[in-house]
Amino acid sequence: MENIKTDCEAINVELVKEVKKKMPDLKDLYELSDFFKVMGDSTRIQLLWALEESEMCVGDLAVLLDMTKSAISHQLKVLRMSKLVRSEKRGKNVYYKLDDNHVKEILKKSFEHILE
């Protein structure tokens, strides 16, 4: 296998070829990396965990996490842009909830992993 960036040769060329066929596109792996960067913030994890329990408005989330509404709104914007939460305006308040069940499952599985 020829590769300009590496300074070595594969020990098991056929294995490398087989694994390479199964690798996702690099673009998709970069998106996955970006996803984990978003998930890598403790405030955002706390927000996701709270929203896994219940739909909540910015003010209630700010009180729960002992933060300013501005700081909470900023983090929720990041989560919304990453399609992890969605919002719904009701009167003067905006309520947030997890975008879908995948987010809940990711949190659950990740938490199980760290408790092992």
Side-chain angles (χ1 to χ4, degrees):
M1 295 186 80
E2 228 176 279
N3 189 334
I4 298 170
K5 296 178 184 174
T6 187
D7 64 351
C8 63
E9 293 182 24
I11 303 299
N12 188 333
V13 175
E14 291 307 312
L15 175 64
V16 172
K17 286 179 182 178
E18 286 302 311
V19 172
K20 189 172 184 105
K21 288 180 199 173
K22 296 176 183 176
M23 294 286 289
D25 290 337
L26 193 55
K27 175 186 162 285
D28 294 333
L29 290 174
Y30 281 133
E31 285 185 33
L32 183 60
S33 175
D34 289 342
F35 169 81
F36 279 109
K37 287 176 189 172
V38 169
M39 295 290 282
D41 180 272
S42 61
T43 299
R44 291 192 285 264
I45 291 293
Q46 289 177 74
L47 288 168
L48 291 170
W49 202 269
L51 295 174
E52 189 266 328
E53 290 294 324
S54 178
E55 180 178 284
M56 297 179 79
C57 68
V58 175
D60 289 345
L61 288 164
V63 171
L64 178 67
L65 273 60
D66 193 26
M67 296 176 68
T68 64
K69 285 183 358 182
S70 175
I72 294 294
S73 292
H74 172 74
Q75 296 300 337
L76 287 168
K77 179 181 178 184
V78 173
L79 292 170
R80 200 174 62 248
M81 291 174 60
S82 298
K83 299 178 184 168
L84 295 172
V85 300
R86 55 184 149 138
S87 62
E88 181 182 323
K89 187 160 174 83
R90 291 189 215 139
K92 293 181 181 181
N93 292 314
V94 178
Y95 286 83
Y96 290 84
K97 62 183 174 181
L98 297 183
D99 191 62
D100 60 33
N101 209 38
H102 290 113
V103 180
K104 183 177 181 176
E105 288 301 313
I106 291 167
L107 286 172
K108 180 182 169 188
K109 290 292 182 189
S110 300
F111 199 64
E112 286 174 6
H113 179 72
I114 63 137
L115 293 178
E116 287 182 354

